[in-house]
Amino acid sequence: MQQLSWRDSAVREALSHIKQHKPFCYGLTNYIAANLSANVLLAVGAGPAIGAVFDWQKVFGSHASAVWVNAACLMSNTAGEVRQAAQAAHHAGVPWVLDPVAVGAGAVEYDRVVQGLLEFRPTAIRGNASELIALAGGEGGGQGVETTLASQEALPTIQAFSRRLGCITAVSGPTDYITDGDRTIFVEGGDARLTQVTGAGCSLGGLIAAFLSTSADPLTAVAAAHVVYAQASERASSARGTGSFAVSFLDHLSLLDPHEA
């Protein structure tokens, strides 16, 4: 198992690529997380567009540099619209990210729709331990959008799941694990207050999409997004409360310099 950190050149090169090329990233996400998701992408230099408007999901889904689908977008988007975006990305060969928010928490019809998106072979799937175990067919035991399991408990499941689907799977926690089923990278650090900022986990899906648009191999790209998230939150750790932390996190995300000593 390999560790990736801010010191690694692959992380800095991927961030530099985003700042230089400003990839267009299209996403469907829930209205609670949309603002932070857009700001996270803007902070690193990417260009976001969010939402299903007429034929956006078909056109943007197939022409974006990368796409992300946060399953909680189903609170305001139809299942058909969400499938259109995933299908458009898949058919056009555009890398796309699935965040299966709250899968396994007992909403059977919702889970069925989210499971159906796997048909379109996401490049990467990210979530908490309970969500990913449930998505893989196990008993995740999630409570709403919160996990009841630690990230390391999901590792064997997501490794097997990645091999079966041929995708990258990333589980978030105090230590993040990112795997393609054969290789696994872990990322440490961050600040626990990310769990107290609405939409922080959801926004990571958008950042992963941006990193998948770079020249880094997909596993490294997904891990690099986690590193950048952790690094910015660590630098914001001197903030006094959760509100100032959220603002400081965005500030530090925008100030990360891939060429710093």
Side-chain angles (χ1 to χ4, degrees):
M1 191 180 299
Q2 172 193 355
Q3 182 176 13
L4 201 68
S5 74
W6 178 244
R7 296 185 299 273
D8 289 290
S9 60
V11 175
R12 295 167 180 250
E13 288 168 5
L15 180 59
S16 180
H17 186 283
I18 293 170
K19 290 183 177 295
Q20 180 180 354
H21 294 279
K22 304 186 182 306
F24 169 47
C25 299
Y26 173 58
L28 295 181
T29 192
N30 61 85
Y31 55 76
I32 298 166
N35 183 70
L36 182 58
S37 298
N39 284 336
V40 162
L41 285 166
L42 289 168
V44 297
I50 295 173
V53 181
F54 295 106
D55 55 355
W56 276 21
Q57 56 271 27
K58 294 181 179 179
V59 177
F60 291 174
S62 60
H63 290 91
S65 300
V67 171
W68 84 100
V69 174
N70 179 288
C73 68
L74 287 160
M75 64 176 65
S76 54
N77 296 125
T78 67
E81 289 169 338
V82 178
R83 285 180 62 83
Q84 284 175 348
Q87 183 179 46
H90 173 59
H91 285 173
V94 173
W96 76 279
V97 181
L98 173 63
D99 186 338
V101 178
V103 162
V108 177
E109 185 176 354
Y110 169 82
D111 287 3
R112 177 183 56 78
V113 172
V114 179
Q115 289 275 0
L117 296 175
L118 298 178
E119 172 188 348
F120 304 115
R121 299 295 179 183
T123 311
I125 302 170
R126 64 86 34 204
N128 64 42
S130 290
E131 292 163 345
L132 295 176
I133 289 173
L135 188 69
E139 294 293 331
Q143 296 180 347
V145 299
E146 303 298 330
T147 186
T148 61
L149 301 172
S151 55
Q152 64 268 25
E153 293 180 82
L155 189 53
T157 298
I158 67 171
Q159 287 171 327
F161 187 53
S162 289
R163 283 193 293 271
R164 176 158 56 89
L165 244 64
C167 71
I168 311 299
T169 309
V171 58
S172 297
T175 299
D176 301 329
Y177 296 95
I178 303 95
T179 185
D180 62 6
D182 296 317
R183 296 183 297 153
T184 300
I185 296 174
F186 70 95
V187 175
E188 295 183 325
D191 190 292
R193 282 175 293 180
L194 277 175
T195 62
Q196 299 172 314
V197 174
T198 301
C202 298
S203 300
L204 179 55
L207 189 66
I208 291 170
F211 273 81
L212 282 170
S213 75
T214 70
S215 56
D217 71 90
L219 180 66
T220 301
V222 176
H226 286 74
V227 170
V228 165
Y229 226 60
Q231 184 68 16
S233 63
E234 281 184 6
R235 295 188 182 195
S237 61
S238 61
R240 184 173 180 182
T242 55
S244 56
F245 170 78
V247 173
S248 184
F249 167 67
L250 273 178
D251 281 347
H252 283 289
L253 196 58
S254 70
L255 293 170
L256 285 177
D257 181 0
H259 305 295
E260 71 183 21

